[in-house]
Amino acid sequence: MPHELPKSYEPGAIETRWAEYWVYEKLFSVSTPPAGEARPVFTLLLPPPNVTGRLHMGHMLNQTQMDIIVRWHRMRGFITLWLPGTDHAGIATQMMVERQFAKEGKKRRDLGREKFIERVWEWKKLYGGAIFDQMKRLGASVDWDREYFTMDENLSHAVREVFVRLYEEGLIYRGKYIVNWCPRCETAISDLEVKHEEVAGKLWEIRYPIVGTDEFITVATTRPETMLGDTAIAVNAKDERYTHLHGKKALLPLMHREIPIITDELAQPEFGTGAVKVTPAHDPNDFQAGKRHNLPQIDVMDEHAHMNQNAGAYLGLDRYEARKRVLADLQEQGFLAGEKDYTLALGKCDRCGTVVEPRLSEQWFIKIKPLAQKAIEAVESGEITIVPENYKQIYLNWMNNIYDWCISRQLWWGHRIPAWTCDNCKHVIVAREAPLTCTKCGSTKLEQVSDVLDTWFSSGLLPFTTLGWPEKTRDQAVFYPTTLLITAYEILFFWVARMIMFGCHFMQEHEQDPAIKRASGWADKKNDSVPFRQVYIHALVRDAERQKMSKTKGNVVDPLEVIERFGTDATRFTLAAMAAPGTDIAFNESRTEGYRAFANKIWNAARFMFMNVDRLGFAWGQSPSPALSEAEGAVQPGQSPDSSRPAAGIVGFHTATLEDRWILSRFNRVTEEVNDSLETYRFHEAANRIYDFFWGEFCDWYLELIKHRLISTVGDEARTACGNLVNLFDAALRLLHPFMPFITEEIWQAIYDGKPHLQSVALASYPQVNENQVDLAAETQMAVLQDLIVSVRQLRLDLKVEARVKVPIELFVHDAGTGISIMQNEDAIKRLANVGSITNVEEWRARQAPSRGTSRFDVRVVYERKIDVAAECERLKKELEKIEREFANNQRQLNNEQFLAKAPSNVVEGLRRRAEELIVLIDKTKSKLHELGCK
RNA sequence: GGGCGGUUAGCUCAGUUGGUUAGAGCGCCUGCCUUACAAGCAGGAGGUCGCAGGUUCGAGUCCUGCACUGCCCACCA
């Protein structure tokens, strides 16, 4: 029994086996095509997971969608490169390792920079490897020969190159500015890394005495502790309440320092008291005001947000402790004028949740406007398209309101900034490699700046650095721009926007090999500097209660655990089937359970096929899965891969019977729909089409219809049926493969008995529609048959006919065509509805027995058994009501001249046809009610 | 303070350009171990599409307002 599959479907064993096979055989490794080879190319960069831990459900959704698209392209004949990698994730990873140290009672500073970094590398080896193992388990068909890590030497080299070039172009500058500072992480963070949270706070009013008078000026503040660093009070020049104080000085309470009263737009008359304290070292707005008025900057806190020596008596206190003390002291000395409830948006560190402190410090920045301009143009002009489209506007809004990007971090883990400070003259040298002497004074005492770069600086370069930049490589000529980026909304600004900015800036000179064909519809694209042509933004995976998954809430669903229980195929299918663009996914295990049942269904259908194949000694090779190199799947140069070709559809399928013509037609239509859906990232649509086709049409109807030919007939008839079955199954497996790669590979390999002409179904061609195989007449005939069979089944249950009993039926057909197609398929009806004989009656005679029908036929089961007449009457009445309602509606429209004049003819035609049907149905239902003697 | 999305069956969700009778899975009810599958088969019940207006021959679908809900962005003390 060579083709026998185990009786029960056990995904675990199958999946690990094929996952290993794909990797071991290097099936997805891509060698760069030589010049002159004209095949279409599809390139996708994996958004590199952080090396901070395990993959979560969001990764799995992301990778499932990418893998579906990637496998689909590969099967359509594209040279398909999917580049995998991981991100060093500077601050996040450093935090994880620090936490590990904290458990050992150690701090990173105890170890020193070098030793600490060694430990992080160990961590990286452990978790980076684990992430790749998990990806293999998901079936991600990446090119494992091209793995990258953002801190690899070649990528680090490119990072230095970019930094130096930007510096030389004047786009990177260094300076002392107010930045977002996390006192726990002890580093600057970018605006994007600050999350605002509304909290109930207070607005305090403080009175400052005016020097030389007994007057006071009252200011409002949410952060009284910063008053210790006040260097002015601002009022609005137009605010008449304070005109008499212009040029006067106020005495800063607690510090006994005289500060000027200045006029500045910073103060808005309608807010608070109209007067505002100015603290240039602790507030970005005040910082700007301070610059305008040449005010001193007095920093009163250290890097831990503890008060420093500038805070006088408050030295050493934590900022909140200091706040309490300041307020108490103000109160005691009579300077506290009031206290109001106030809601404020508190900035917190994205990583650790600590309240961010605006802090004056020396940092490196990217002058962003010139870069943003090109990135705006690339999207506005359509050189890059964003799907769903509403994200385009979000992207543009953000880009248009962008501020300079603080790229330096006071961390240890990351790309160290390629800048050196001269010990002697303090000159700063930015260079690609460590300089030996100071370019200014010649000193050899140089020390590299200790800061590292924001982790997004290096990941923003990946689309070209992974292809060998700054060298001009063949890889770049072939694979850049990448085709597509699939990512989560969360990192649209962090990552996507940065890649666009960097790509457009650094790849201006890029020359793409003109022989390389891209996906269809891109002929009009001119700007080859963009990092990708299209961005697909996918949803967030939430838990079953629609809550965002987070470790702190403890509602994180571990994909591997789900996979363990239901299999990767079922889990992937769940994510695909729920991924309607634009809406988040509430991950619901009952769905996964349902899709495991689907996989089981496929499994058993395959067992049924093999059972017959083996019994009939069906000869192999009659229906080989077409290879990509063969006419069907291969894409010719200049040809769009999705256009239909002569060999599309299913080759060598025999269409002697109605069910064969029907299923072939259905397969082709489903194929077309699936391809169309994938073209527009409508994963859920594609998945549901395949599901409905395989289960609802192929298994429920087709298999049942061909059973007797397989089992009860001999010779050619059975063999033809079996050949069709194998052929169809093969095609269905190819159609399904991108969604459920493992089970399809397992069955496909079994079909070819371990001797496939291709190494994998993943290298076979993806089905394409063949219009000649679409047969609408067969679909209509089949629909009548199905209606009839269902009608009889309903009647059997109404009459409580025992399941095994064959019953005779009385049939009345309304037109000759219906009669002919029913009688041609008499056997099928008898088998599927367990009918003994069919009597075709010339006229429909009244009798007190239930009947069913459509506008094409009426049917009655001949069986002596009392039925619940009242219940049947009730049902019929309800039905009559419904169709009469519809008829009334239908007539209202058909009698409406406006409708007839304006509605398209096919709609009017449809309604007319329906009207005829409804008249028949109403008439019949009424006579049935009469037959049964209902009131 | 700005912007975006959601509200459809008991639950979770589909429903592309407005067009004939609004769908699926799960759950529920009834009957079946029919030799591929009980993770299954056959049949069934269940919805005034959040509310109020409007546009239209025609609205779940478009417009306006409202309610509830979720998210993102934001250097006004």
Side-chain angles (χ1 to χ4, degrees), chain A residues 5 10-28 71 136-140 144 569 603 737 740-751 753-756 758-762:
Chain A
L5 300 178
E10 304 287 350
I14 297 169
E15 289 171 359
T16 46
R17 190 168 71 244
W18 292 115
E20 275 170 28
Y21 174 82
W22 295 330
V23 176
Y24 182 78
E25 295 289 326
K26 294 184 179 294
L27 285 191
F28 310 124
R71 285 178 188 266
K136 287 167 189 168
R137 188 75 180 78
L138 304 188
W144 290 109
D569 281 332
W603 184 258
H737 180 257
M740 290 191 155
F742 297 102
I743 192 173
T744 50
E745 181 79 301
E746 173 79 9
I747 298 169
W748 190 87
Q749 296 275 351
I751 287 180
D753 194 15
K755 294 189 287 290
L758 297 166
Q759 273 183 291
S760 163
V761 64

Side-chain angles (χ1 to χ4, degrees), chain A residues 16-305:
Chain A
T16 46
R17 190 168 71 244
W18 292 115
E20 275 170 28
Y21 174 82
W22 295 330
V23 176
Y24 182 78
E25 295 289 326
K26 294 184 179 294
L27 285 191
F28 310 124
S29 295
V30 179
S31 48
T32 310
E37 182 160 339
R39 275 182 60 196
V41 165
F42 179 88
T43 318
L44 181 99
L45 179 73
L46 174 82
N50 294 347
V51 289
T52 44
R54 297 162 69 80
L55 295 184
H56 54 69
M57 220 55 194
H59 289 118
M60 181 154 183
L61 172 70
N62 183 237
Q63 294 191 15
T64 296
Q65 295 191 344
M66 284 189 284
D67 196 51
I68 289 170
I69 292 291
V70 161
R71 285 178 188 266
W72 178 57
H73 274 92
R74 192 183 289 117
M75 290 177 79
R76 290 193 305 159
F78 285 82
I79 294 174
T80 304
L81 172 62
W82 185 8
L83 269 166
T86 41
D87 196 304
H88 69 281
I91 191 167
T93 311
Q94 178 163 328
M95 247 180 76
M96 301 296 277
V97 180
E98 278 176 2
R99 262 188 217 159
Q100 206 180 41
F101 275 166
K103 279 184 200 149
E104 300 166 20
K106 280 187 273 182
K107 286 187 175 165
R108 77 172 143 113
R109 297 204 190 277
D110 301 341
L111 235 75
R113 186 164 186 151
E114 265 180 46
K115 282 264 191 276
F116 179 80
I117 289 176
E118 271 174 36
R119 286 287 295 266
V120 187
W121 274 105
E122 281 168 28
W123 167 287
K124 182 261 162 186
K125 271 183 204 126
L126 193 67
Y127 284 96
I131 284 164
F132 286 139
D133 286 345
Q134 290 171 50
M135 283 179 60
K136 287 167 189 168
R137 188 75 180 78
L138 304 188
S141 62
V142 300
D143 183 345
W144 290 109
D145 290 337
R146 294 182 188 240
E147 273 177 42
Y148 65 85
F149 176 56
T150 48
M151 295 226 312
D152 284 344
E153 181 40 44
N154 57 332
L155 296 189
S156 301
H157 172 252
V159 165
R160 290 194 294 274
E161 181 68 28
V162 163
F163 188 96
V164 174
R165 285 200 201 178
L166 287 172
Y167 183 79
E168 286 168 351
E169 293 170 45
L171 292 174
I172 281 182
Y173 62 93
R174 183 189 194 215
K176 215 172 180 187
Y177 296 90
I178 292 267
V179 294
N180 304 298
W181 182 270
C182 174
R184 200 224 60 93
C185 302
E186 293 172 46
T187 178
I189 54 179
S190 70
D191 296 345
L192 277 176
E193 290 165 288
V194 179
K195 297 293 159 204
H196 291 92
E197 210 175 283
E198 298 231 312
V199 290
K202 301 269 187 211
L203 190 64
W204 286 279
E205 291 182 349
I206 306 171
R207 298 201 290 184
Y208 289 38
I210 306 294
V211 175
T213 71
D214 48 11
E215 220 182 318
F216 290 93
I217 185 164
T218 307
V219 301
T221 180
T222 54
R223 306 188 49 216
E225 69 280 10
T226 63
M227 70 163 291
L228 305 173
D230 283 359
T231 53
I233 285 178
V235 296
N236 197 294
K238 291 176 200 149
D239 191 341
E240 289 172 6
R241 288 173 293 177
Y242 298 114
T243 314
H244 66 290
L245 297 178
H246 293 180
K248 294 243 161 76
K249 285 188 189 266
L251 187 68
L252 182 61
L254 310 181
M255 298 305 282
H256 315 293
R257 187 165 68 229
E258 286 190 8
I259 55 174
I261 295 170
I262 59 171
T263 56
D264 194 280
E265 281 123 47
L266 179 69
Q268 294 180 10
E270 54 293 347
F271 189 91
T273 60
V276 59
K277 61 195 260 318
V278 184
T279 323
H282 288 279
D283 182 279
N285 288 313
D286 294 10
F287 174 78
Q288 295 298 340
K291 287 264 169 189
R292 289 194 286 273
H293 296 272
N294 277 318
L295 298 174
Q297 302 161 335
I298 301 177
D299 188 353
V300 296
M301 290 182 206
D302 65 13
E303 67 271 25
H304 305 106

Side-chain angles (χ1 to χ4, degrees), chain A residues 183 300-308 311 314-319:
Chain A
V300 296
M301 290 182 206
D302 65 13
E303 67 271 25
H304 305 106
H306 287 142
M307 309 315 282
N308 65 16
Y314 305 91
L315 172 68
L317 292 179
D318 169 81
R319 53 187 163 168

Side-chain angles (χ1 to χ4, degrees), chain A residues 716-768:
Chain A
D716 285 349
E717 197 181 351
R719 240 188 287 282
T720 302
C722 189
N724 272 356
L725 174 57
V726 174
N727 233 339
L728 182 60
F729 215 114
D730 178 309
L733 288 173
R734 284 182 281 126
L735 191 69
L736 178 64
H737 180 257
F739 300 85
M740 290 191 155
F742 297 102
I743 192 173
T744 50
E745 181 79 301
E746 173 79 9
I747 298 169
W748 190 87
Q749 296 275 351
I751 287 180
Y752 295 102
D753 194 15
K755 294 189 287 290
H757 62 301
L758 297 166
Q759 273 183 291
S760 163
V761 64
L763 303 182
S765 78
Y766 202 72
Q768 301 296 328

Side-chain angles (χ1 to χ4, degrees), chain A residues 130 175 178 244 292 318 401 403 443 452 529 553 580 641 655 668 709 725 751-752 762 831 867:
Chain A
I178 292 267
H244 66 290
R292 289 194 286 273
D318 169 81
N401 296 298
Y403 289 88
S443 163
V452 300
S529 71
K553 279 188 212 150
T655 52
N668 275 279
R709 270 195 287 155
L725 174 57
I751 287 180
Y752 295 102
R831 282 193 314 277
I867 59 151

Side-chain angles (χ1 to χ4, degrees), chain A residues 875-888:
Chain A
R875 191 186 66 77
L876 285 168
K877 275 183 197 161
K878 223 166 148 185
E879 201 174 285
L880 182 64
E881 244 170 66
K882 197 181 152 201
I883 44 184
E884 278 183 331
R885 229 186 353 253
E886 193 194 333
F887 185 65

Side-chain angles (χ1 to χ4, degrees), chain A residues 858-873:
Chain A
D858 286 289
V859 64
R860 191 143 60 195
V861 164
V862 183
Y863 193 72
E864 291 306 323
R865 177 161 289 185
K866 290 280 180 220
I867 59 151
D868 185 345
V869 177
E872 182 65 6
C873 286

